[in-house]
Amino acid sequence: MVTLRAPVLKSGCSVLALAFAFDAASAATTAASRTKGGKAATASVHKTGAATGAKTAATSPAGTAAAPAGAGQKPKNTAALRSTGLEDVMVHARRRSERLERTPISMTTMSGQQFTERGITSLDKIQNFAPNISFGNVASNSGVANASAVFIRGIGQTDFSFGVDPGVGMYVDGVYVGSPVGAVLSMVDIADVSVLRGPQGTLFGRNTIGGAVSVSSLTPNETLSAKADVKYGTANRINVRAFVNTPVAKNLYANFSVGSFMQDGYVNAPYQKNARSLGNQDSRVFKGALRWHPVEKLDIVLRGDWTRDRSNGAPYVTTGVLSPATMISINNANAGGTLNNCSGSGCYNSRYYSKNTNYGTDPDYSNLTSWSTTGTIDYHLTDYIDLKSITGYRKSLGKFAQDRDSSPIGINAVYDNYAEKQFSEEFQVNGRALRNRLHYAVGVYYFNQSGQDLNPTQFYLLSLQSGGYFHDTNYAAYAQATYDITSKLHVTAGVRYTEDNKSFTPNQFYTSARAPYVTIPPGTRIVPYQTYHNNNARWTPMVNVAYQVTHELMAYATFSQGFKGGGFTQRLTNIASSPPAFRPESVNSFEGGLKFYGLNRRLRVSAAGFYTFYNDVQLLVADETHIGPYYTNAGKARIPGFELEGQYAIGDGWTAIGSVGMTDAHYTKLNGGVQGLTLSSPFVLVSKWTANLGLAKAIDLGKAGTLTPRVDATYRSRYNANLNSIPYAQLMQPKYITVNMSARWVSASGRYNFMAGLDNATNEKFMAWGSYSGSFGNLQKSFDRGRQWYIQGGVSF
């Protein structure tokens, strides 16, 4: 920690020094616009143009989320635009409402309004504003076009397979989402999104060893309000969103929202049905919520949503081949050539290599339908004890297909018949004692998930059905308490006990074989058709010490543990007595940080340094010794790093935001069974350096409203894009910078708004993900769409 703390403190001091310099330079122009007494204005972010700290919704029993910006509000006082203060940010990372700068956790929070101000309609774009996070939409060894791969501080997971858990927990309205499928959410009625870095194994549970992403929806309130917007842009992009909040009866409120997200694809696919392009978007989202507040102490919120996502297929191409390329080599030998020297009509060669065209003839598509319901009951038992129940149910049905060789030659095609459902219940007791010196949270948790992924697969040498059926159950109990030793010194301790039980019933058999290479009779079972179990139980403790150095500056230090459940390799091709299982992975993490909020509430800075010991690392690996990818406990790793974030209201309408993160993930020990990796191999989708910088200027046009031009730049250093872990030079994405520019006009009343923007203005065609397996040989890559323009208009009342 000593080696990390010095540069963190140095960087923090540099930001403070820069801020003071800006402050001195702009004092003359901003003095007249400061609020009385030096206090910040309470205008929301869209009024002030202030940085990423928008006020987030309170979730106390009687509390409601903030109304959508501009909806049901009085006309705005444009003088507020000249306010120099940042807004207070309230978060609930520790099961109670706290100011962001008084919460001893490294985290980033953005409001739904801030996403709107930047023209963002997809959750994965949070990676452009939070350091040390990668949020990808990947098709890992499948055809699914909406599956998240989230990494925080180097820890995550690339695959949606039921055999493995994600390393970053996704929570929607307090409910854990067990599968990455469908988790790249479209932004409809979002109140706020929080990224909690580091293991969150006490209050949030297993599978949060990298951290957690928490999404909160707007909660119905007593104000009649509505808003809608329409966006049009590159490749016939048409996004339509509408939201209505209304009182229904006394103490009964409802809101409804709908979204349609359409855009043409950008990877040509001449042999697909109707020559449709891959990488399109065709999504519909419907959401609704009902809030009943019969008495002061009781608050009940019921939510429901339905999503349909239809895609022509994930955007990917083949750019070349690498040796050994077993099946392509055999195909080319049969066509009278070699891997790199074959010109006949049946050869797999450069005619199928491209950066913008996929020549596959087997089907490519991704169809997903999901729906969920959530019930939250808050009961204010006494002035010192709150009770809370969170019940969630979610179901998803999908069919995915992908011609993975991107050619008319049948080298590798996969299909998925996917179904998943989950039920969870959490009961919390949150309270205060000892004259408010003790804050505590106690809870129990139950999670049940089941479903199937039947996975027919066609290879050049054989065909088989992979996959099977699964059933997971999880039980947990936790307790965490914070004690104020003095008014400045606070100690927090917590522990969670978890039982994690997984069952897998593989339904796997060969359906055909190509003689003389393979002579397995059709119907032969790959593994016996029976149920296998992988059960684990763990304690995960946490200890935190926080000290309020001054009213504006807090320092803290944390030790925490977390673990991710074990599992099974689902995709098997070699006959075995049972599906290969792997152990849970775990982390021991040390973190120290500083949080500053001062300069008349104009500057907010947070800095954190961490050192993580990562054990039994779970990896998805594809090498020439296996036809399909397999999971293994690769070994041990260590991950030191830091984050530095800042928001500064410069004055005269200017605001700046920025962050920088460093994740130096490296292996320290590899197990002998792992092929193709060395201690210097980079982690998948993890950049050592991430950074962003944004600048906005709110221009007061008087009765004509306000105009806010904005520029946001994001930097990512090189990373290994191969979802199958083994690094190849062809699948290393070099460092890149993307720049987004926009200008947003809001009428003086706040009722009307218009926006024009340019995303990825420098047209960076970076690799979002790649894939390579020595059994097949083709380099599969998915590139970003590149530069996109859009215009958007909205109304609210």
Side-chain angles (χ1 to χ4, degrees):
M1 292 300 297
V2 175
T3 58
L4 290 173
R5 187 172 299 167
V8 171
L9 290 173
K10 183 178 179 180
S11 300
C13 293
S14 298
V15 171
L16 289 172
L18 179 63
F20 279 116
F22 271 125
D23 190 37
S26 61
T29 60
T30 62
S33 63
R34 292 177 183 171
T35 56
K36 187 177 181 179
K39 293 184 179 180
T42 57
S44 58
V45 173
H46 81 280
K47 294 181 187 177
T48 65
T52 43
K55 179 179 287 187
T56 60
T59 57
S60 60
T64 61
Q73 298 178 5
K74 295 180 180 180
K76 286 135 181 95
N77 179 2
T78 56
L81 289 165
R82 295 185 294 273
S83 169
T84 60
L86 297 172
E87 290 220 24
D88 290 338
V89 183
M90 306 303 294
V91 297
H92 290 80
R94 299 198 298 175
R95 302 285 195 262
R96 67 179 189 268
S97 180
E98 298 177 289
R99 288 167 52 183
L100 177 64
E101 65 276 4
R102 298 293 177 93
T103 306
I105 296 174
S106 179
M107 62 183 297
T108 300
T109 296
M110 290 186 66
S111 70
Q113 178 63 19
Q114 288 174 303
F115 284 106
T116 297
E117 290 172 350
R118 290 162 174 79
I120 296 173
T121 56
S122 181
L123 180 61
D124 58 341
K125 300 305 181 184
I126 188 69
Q127 72 168 3
N128 293 339
F129 303 97
N132 285 341
I133 179 174
S134 170
F135 197 131
N137 185 1
V138 305
S140 179
N141 300 283
S142 72
V144 62
N146 185 330
S148 63
V150 187
F151 287 77
I152 297 178
R153 292 181 172 178
I155 300 174
Q157 189 53 257
T158 62
D159 195 8
F160 76 94
S161 168
F162 291 131
V164 67
D165 291 327
V168 172
M170 176 75 72
Y171 290 80
V172 178
D173 296 317
V175 175
Y176 173 69
V177 179
S179 172
V181 173
V184 185
L185 304 177
S186 297
M187 307 296 281
V188 177
D189 93 327
I190 299 299
D192 57 75
V193 178
S194 292
V195 177
L196 284 70
R197 288 179 284 270
Q200 301 293 323
T202 302
L203 295 181
F204 287 86
R206 86 199 202 292
N207 305 338
T208 59
I209 61 173
V213 177
S214 179
V215 181
S216 298
S217 305
L218 293 169
T219 299
N221 58 46
E222 66 278 6
T223 303
L224 176 62
S225 60
K227 64 177 180 176
D229 58 45
V230 178
K231 175 184 289 187
Y232 181 78
T234 299
N236 294 316
R237 180 181 184 180
I238 303 176
N239 296 349
V240 180
R241 300 184 297 181
F243 172 87
V244 177
N245 184 93
T246 180
V248 178
K250 183 179 180 180
N251 298 326
L252 184 65
Y253 322 111
N255 67 31
F256 307 92
S257 57
V258 60
S260 175
F261 303 88
M262 306 283 290
Q263 189 172 26
D264 294 342
Y266 62 99
V267 172
N268 302 321
Y271 299 132
Q272 291 297 307
K273 183 179 180 181
N274 300 325
R276 58 190 188 182
S277 298
L278 305 181
N280 71 310
Q281 185 178 25
D282 181 359
S283 300
R284 305 287 189 276
V285 181
F286 297 90
K287 298 180 68 175
L290 189 67
R291 177 180 171 231
W292 185 38
H293 186 47
V295 295
E296 184 65 26
K297 291 186 175 184
L298 179 63
D299 204 67
I300 301 173
V301 179
L302 303 177
R303 301 182 187 272
D305 67 80
W306 181 87
T307 302
R308 191 213 69 179
D309 191 349
R310 298 289 184 267
S311 172
N312 300 339
Y316 70 100
V317 294
T318 286
T319 61
V321 296
L322 291 178
S323 181
T326 305
M327 295 191 191
I328 294 178
S329 295
I330 293 174
N331 173 81
N332 286 4
N334 290 336
T338 64
L339 174 63
N340 295 306
N341 186 14
C342 193
S343 58
S345 59
C347 292
Y348 192 101
N349 55 28
S350 60
R351 79 187 78 180
Y352 304 124
Y353 307 163
S354 176
K355 286 191 174 182
N356 57 22
T357 301
N358 184 300
Y359 298 97
T361 53
D362 283 314
D364 267 285
Y365 59 81
S366 177
N367 299 330
L368 176 67
T369 301
S370 62
W371 63 273
S372 70
T373 59
T374 302
T376 303
I377 302 174
D378 285 289
Y379 185 67
H380 188 59
L381 183 64
T382 71
D383 290 341
Y384 299 98
I385 300 176
D386 294 325
L387 308 180
K388 187 170 188 176
S389 169
I390 305 174
T391 307
Y393 179 83
R394 181 181 179 90
K395 186 173 183 178
S396 299
L397 300 172
K399 292 184 181 294
F400 321 125
Q402 188 177 76
D403 186 341
R404 292 181 57 78
D405 55 77
S406 311
S407 79
I409 302 172
I411 304 296
N412 183 9
V414 297
Y415 303 81
D416 287 90
N417 186 354
Y418 173 93
E420 178 260 347
K421 62 181 179 180
Q422 68 170 68
F423 171 82
S424 64
E425 172 62 39
E426 182 170 4
F427 183 73
Q428 303 173 6
V429 180
N430 304 304
R432 298 169 293 149
L434 302 179
R435 297 182 179 180
N436 292 332
R437 297 183 69 174
L438 179 69
H439 293 79
Y440 62 87
V442 180
V444 292
Y445 178 76
Y446 171 75
F447 177 80
N448 188 303
Q449 183 183 34
S450 61
Q452 68 172 36
D453 184 15
L454 298 179
N455 187 204
T457 304
Q458 298 177 6
F459 301 147
Y460 182 75
L461 298 180
L462 56 88
S463 298
L464 55 89
Q465 177 172 285
S466 185
Y469 312 94
F470 75 100
H471 187 193
D472 302 341
T473 57
N474 180 265
Y475 309 87
Y478 61 85
Q480 180 170 304
T482 299
Y483 183 70
D484 300 337
I485 297 176
T486 70
S487 61
K488 292 187 175 184
L489 180 62
H490 317 283
V491 176
T492 302
V495 66
R496 188 183 188 105
Y497 176 75
T498 302
E499 290 189 5
D500 186 42
N501 304 319
K502 289 186 171 63
S503 300
F504 178 45
T505 305
N507 188 11
Q508 306 190 0
F509 51 87
Y510 298 102
T511 54
S512 67
R514 182 189 290 263
Y517 306 103
V518 181
T519 57
I520 300 174
T524 301
R525 287 277 172 185
I526 299 174
V527 292
Y529 185 55
Q530 64 185 61
T531 300
Y532 302 86
H533 303 278
N534 192 329
N535 301 334
N536 300 278
R538 294 289 178 95
W539 292 89
T540 50
M542 183 277 291
V543 178
N544 170 276
V545 178
Y547 184 72
Q548 197 67 37
V549 181
T550 68
H551 180 73
E552 298 175 327
L553 179 65
M554 181 189 71
Y556 70 90
T558 303
F559 167 77
S560 58
Q561 289 185 341
F563 86 101
K564 182 156 76 83
F568 300 92
T569 292
Q570 173 182 304
R571 305 179 182 96
L572 303 177
T573 53
N574 298 329
I575 294 176
S577 59
S578 64
F582 50 88
R583 301 182 302 278
E585 62 180 20
S586 62
V587 297
N588 295 308
S589 178
F590 298 85
E591 178 181 323
L594 298 171
K595 291 195 172 187
F596 176 85
Y597 184 35
L599 294 187
N600 291 329
R601 298 188 178 183
R602 295 170 56 198
L603 177 66
R604 179 181 287 116
V605 177
S606 62
F610 60 90
Y611 201 103
T612 302
F613 294 86
Y614 192 8
N615 302 312
D616 291 319
V617 179
Q618 296 171 4
L619 278 187
L620 178 67
V621 180
D623 58 42
E624 58 271 22
T625 64
H626 297 76
I627 295 180
Y630 66 96
Y631 279 96
T632 184
N633 294 107
K636 297 182 178 181
R638 293 184 182 179
I639 311 176
F642 71 87
E643 293 105 15
L644 176 64
E645 297 181 89
Q647 303 119 36
Y648 185 44
I650 302 171
D652 196 26
W654 287 96
T655 59
I657 67 171
S659 72
V660 60
M662 189 271 281
T663 301
D664 188 15
H666 56 277
Y667 297 106
T668 58
K669 179 181 178 181
L670 291 172
N671 297 330
V674 180
Q675 304 295 319
L677 293 178
T678 68
L679 295 181
S680 61
S681 295
F683 280 32
V684 180
L685 299 182
V686 175
S687 294
K688 183 175 181 179
W689 292 96
T690 59
N692 71 81
L693 180 63
L695 191 64
K697 163 70 171 175
I699 303 172
D700 187 355
L701 303 178
K703 293 182 179 181
T706 59
L707 179 67
T708 306
R710 181 185 305 274
V711 178
D712 291 290
T714 301
Y715 169 81
R716 303 189 77 85
S717 63
R718 69 192 295 265
Y719 57 84
N720 175 17
N722 184 13
L723 301 180
N724 294 330
S725 298
I726 301 174
Y728 297 93
Q730 295 85 346
L731 293 178
M732 293 298 298
Q733 169 59 44
K735 62 184 178 182
Y736 65 89
I737 297 175
T738 58
V739 178
N740 298 337
M741 301 184 294
S742 65
R744 188 170 191 261
W745 170 82
V746 180
S747 66
S749 67
R751 177 162 293 183
Y752 305 102
N753 63 81
F754 180 82
M755 186 176 186
L758 193 64
D759 289 342
N760 195 353
T762 54
N763 201 29
E764 291 286 341
K765 297 294 183 70
F766 58 89
M767 197 183 343
W769 57 268
S771 182
Y772 173 79
S773 170
S775 298
F776 308 106
N778 62 306
L779 290 164
Q780 188 181 27
K781 298 182 182 181
S782 179
F783 295 97
D784 184 75
R785 184 187 288 266
R787 184 187 298 117
Q788 298 186 67
W789 63 268
Y790 63 88
I791 55 175
Q792 176 177 301
V795 60
S796 60
F797 53 89

